[in-house]
Amino acid sequence: LEAFDTPDAIMSWARALTYSQAPQSEAESKTSNATITPTMEPLASPQPWDLLSQEIANLPEHQCLHSQSHFSVYFARYDQIPKILLEIARLREDVFRELDEGSGHPSDTDRFDKIYTHLFVFDHQANQVLGAYRMGQTDSFESVDQLYLSQMFNFGPDFLNQKKPCLEMGRS
């Protein structure tokens, strides 16, 4: 790592190294497009706070993991929080754009949002989502294709739950 002058150079090297693990055609497309900036569509509009608050009010009490002051941490599945998930995807795209990683779409979402569990912090005073993680519970997956990382790495069919169930966390 001493050979790199800047954190950006290290990040570019690490990204290229990660993409090189993908099947050849996929790795080529990611590295060849890495320097192309996508056209940025406007971000999606924020979700109305009253709809977000209603989804939270409908969650079972045990899905609130912790509350302090006006902040609460929850976990939920897509079907319980579709509006909150739209807001999380909008915020995700906004943050990724700040790091030149944005998709260019109004929000950052994919098929994994519907099968993963979402951990998120909600500010009840400001009526907004502050942050979120997406968690893949491997004991509920039927195949390695349900892991987000399976898009980048070639996992064998017996990769899941070798010793105990695991969580794949990402899309913060």
Side-chain angles (χ1 to χ4, degrees):
L1 294 176
E2 294 86 28
F4 299 102
D5 299 338
T6 66
D8 286 341
I10 294 170
M11 189 171 68
S12 293
W13 171 77
R15 182 178 294 123
L17 193 61
T18 300
Y19 291 157
S20 72
Q21 302 300 312
Q24 192 59 32
S25 61
E26 191 176 323
E28 286 174 0
S29 70
K30 288 183 179 183
T31 56
S32 65
N33 291 333
T35 58
I36 298 172
T37 303
T39 302
M40 296 291 168
E41 297 175 44
L43 280 175
S45 297
Q47 293 297 304
W49 69 267
D50 57 326
L51 296 179
L52 305 180
S53 295
Q54 185 60 50
E55 287 183 349
I56 287 173
N58 290 337
L59 290 174
E61 190 175 313
H62 74 275
Q63 287 183 238
C64 179
L65 299 175
H66 184 72
S67 290
Q68 175 116 17
S69 182
H70 53 276
F71 304 106
S72 296
V73 179
Y74 299 92
F75 72 94
R77 306 282 298 177
Y78 169 81
D79 60 331
Q80 295 177 296
I81 56 164
K83 297 294 184 192
I84 290 172
L85 206 45
L86 288 173
E87 183 63 8
I88 289 170
R90 183 188 75 80
L91 293 169
R92 211 188 275 156
E93 176 66 16
D94 190 32
V95 170
F96 288 167
R97 286 181 185 191
E98 289 179 27
L99 301 169
D100 293 327
E101 293 285 329
S103 68
H105 298 294
S107 62
D108 180 87
T109 188
D110 58 26
R111 67 183 177 93
F112 299 97
D113 278 337
K114 290 188 177 181
I115 61 173
Y116 278 43
T117 301
H118 301 273
L119 180 71
F120 63 98
V121 178
F122 194 80
D123 180 338
H124 295 279
Q125 194 171 47
N127 292 310
Q128 65 183 12
V129 174
L130 296 181
Y133 272 97
R134 181 167 79 178
M135 304 179 298
Q137 297 174 269
T138 62
D139 55 331
S140 68
F141 292 168
E142 295 174 11
S143 75
V144 294
D145 294 338
Q146 291 178 294
L147 282 171
Y148 176 79
L149 286 176
S150 69
Q151 298 176 114
M152 295 172 221
F153 302 99
N154 294 321
F155 297 120
D158 56 348
F159 176 78
L160 290 178
N161 308 316
Q162 291 180 21
K163 300 266 184 208
K164 294 183 179 180
C166 299
L167 284 178
E168 178 187 43
M169 296 188 70
R171 280 291 202 256
S172 56

